[in-house]
Amino acid sequence: VYLQEAQSLLQTAVREEPQLAQAWLNLGVCFKKQGMLSEALSAYAAGALAVPDSAPIHARLGAERLRAAKEIEDETASAAALRAALDALSSATRLDSADAAA
């Protein structure tokens, strides 16, 4: 029950303050812990759009896309999912490197 309450509060938070990177991450975790993997992936993707300079969001998005790609049986679709995962992970690395250099 507490995950549903947290999910509701986090959805309100990201709707009202979409730049809150940690709220997007926590929303994705809430969905994932409830077995709502598609919704978790959507939360991370929306967070990456809302907070494009957040390395942690891109890293989580990449990791979840990688996990999802492993479950795809069609080779073409799996390859596309792997490319999307790599893009997100590359963004996370680039953003993290930029933060370290600053």
Side-chain angles (χ1 to χ4, degrees):
V1 175
Y2 74 92
L3 284 173
Q4 293 169 339
E5 292 175 21
Q7 174 190 325
S8 178
L9 291 170
L10 289 164
Q11 286 173 313
T12 298
V14 298
R15 187 173 42 254
E16 292 179 5
E17 300 286 339
Q19 74 281 1
L20 294 175
Q22 192 62 50
W24 285 110
L25 287 167
N26 290 342
L27 180 58
V29 170
C30 258
F31 282 131
K32 188 173 179 181
K33 286 189 178 214
Q34 294 176 82
M36 303 168 72
L37 302 179
S38 177
E39 290 84 350
L41 190 54
S42 293
Y44 298 134
L49 290 173
V51 193
D53 61 343
S54 172
I57 291 177
H58 286 278
R60 186 66 58 92
L61 176 60
E64 289 303 316
R65 283 183 172 166
L66 182 60
R67 180 206 49 78
K70 292 178 182 179
E71 298 177 10
I72 299 173
E73 293 183 19
D74 178 72
E75 280 188 39
T76 303
S78 179
L82 287 171
R83 280 191 297 278
L86 182 58
D87 288 346
L89 292 169
S90 294
S91 291
T93 303
R94 179 181 43 77
L95 290 165
D96 193 47
S97 295
D99 283 346

